[in-house]
Amino acid sequence: MEAELLYKKIEGTLTPEEADEVETWLASSPDHLAFFERLKTHYHERNDFVVPPDVISGYRESFDQILAQKFRQRRWWNSSAVLIAASLLILIGVAFAYFANSFNLAEPAQQPIAEVVIPLPEQETDSVPLYTEKKTNRKIRLSIGSKATYGLSEIYENHVEDVEYDVQNGIVSYNEPSKRKPAEQHRLETAPGAELCLKLEDGTVIWLNSGTEIEYPSYFEDAERRVILRGEAYFEVSKDSIRPFIVSTGDMDVKVYGTQFNVNTRRNNMTTTTLVEGSVAIIPAVSGAETLLTPGETGKFDTATGKLDIREEDIDLYIGWRQGAYHFSDNSLESLFDEISLWYGIDVTFADNRVKNESFSGIISRDMPLMDLLNILTMTNYVKFDLKGNKLTVKENK
């Protein structure tokens, strides 16, 4: 039983088919029912994130000075635009305060800013222990050619030859083939809200972000090590001076011999490659020309125009998710909610198009519950939300 279905039962968002599956599972064992009752208790005991008034007032005092200075320098500025900017700056501070508190980056406060979700006791159901955080409960599927599709439970129970699942560390790993046979093409998918670490047979480690799909052979038998990526992944490629490692996105290849880098294909008509260490070559399919990146550089390839733009930027903007947080710098709210929709597994629509282009800078912890994040965004007094099931509507707060 997937824990996400139990959360959906508590929230009343199960489909009829899912409801039948959950009821069957609950009725099959008193232990299942007891676990579900404990899950409900912890779920309802958690208070939604509320920022204390003194925290808000502290940030407001700082940004009141910024407002006064802006009005002195440019009195012709539209006042509403300045207020919106100040509101978003307050949001940055509060969001960072939550992040720092969650990851112990700040001095411990007398009163915690956020209530931490109480972890549930580790329980075993079926073969794989249920996780206690919703982000790891979402479906992860492994497909082998056209033969079959497996979940983590089947991998854990050794249903897939030469593939293992380490529950404690969340790693799917490939072993050296027990017997030589032609390599099979495998495809691993992470649904919205899920993430997974994949270790290939050659020792390469790949972290898959939510809503990502990667194809690769069960072992590398060719002169090159090629994988196909749709979505976002962070790579630590094992060194092999003879066989280059190639990440193909369809419109371009990223060619390496052993290094750390991030590739993101989520943005419309844009594939972004960020190099952490080593060196990689970006090879657009249309030209076949190789362009080298150096550590700290990000290459943005526009698949519509064929233009490649390389620049040095804060790499945390592109790889921060690997450390548990999203980093934003003058991003539109539309791009912010692109990430939110994938991570929380929700459908986001904007009722007012002009809200989409408002800029946002800050850090958002990936551990922050959705309602806590929406509460913080509401504090700007510029946007409000309508959340029904997994559908979120973003509106201007007129």
Side-chain angles (χ1 to χ4, degrees), residues 149-210:
T149 298
Y150 302 92
L152 290 180
S153 295
E154 287 92 348
I155 300 173
Y156 180 79
E157 294 168 354
N158 300 315
H159 290 191
V160 185
E161 187 177 5
D162 301 320
V163 183
E164 297 179 351
Y165 176 54
D166 180 344
V167 177
Q168 183 174 0
N169 297 305
I171 301 174
V172 169
S173 59
Y174 282 70
N175 303 317
E176 186 176 348
S178 56
K179 55 184 178 180
R180 277 292 165 180
K181 58 180 182 179
E184 299 175 308
Q185 193 70 3
H186 287 201
R187 183 176 69 253
L188 192 63
E189 301 172 71
T190 60
E195 62 181 355
L196 188 72
C197 181
L198 169 66
K199 185 176 182 180
L200 300 180
E201 173 264 338
D202 72 327
T204 293
V205 181
I206 307 170
W207 284 267
L208 305 179
N209 204 345
S210 57

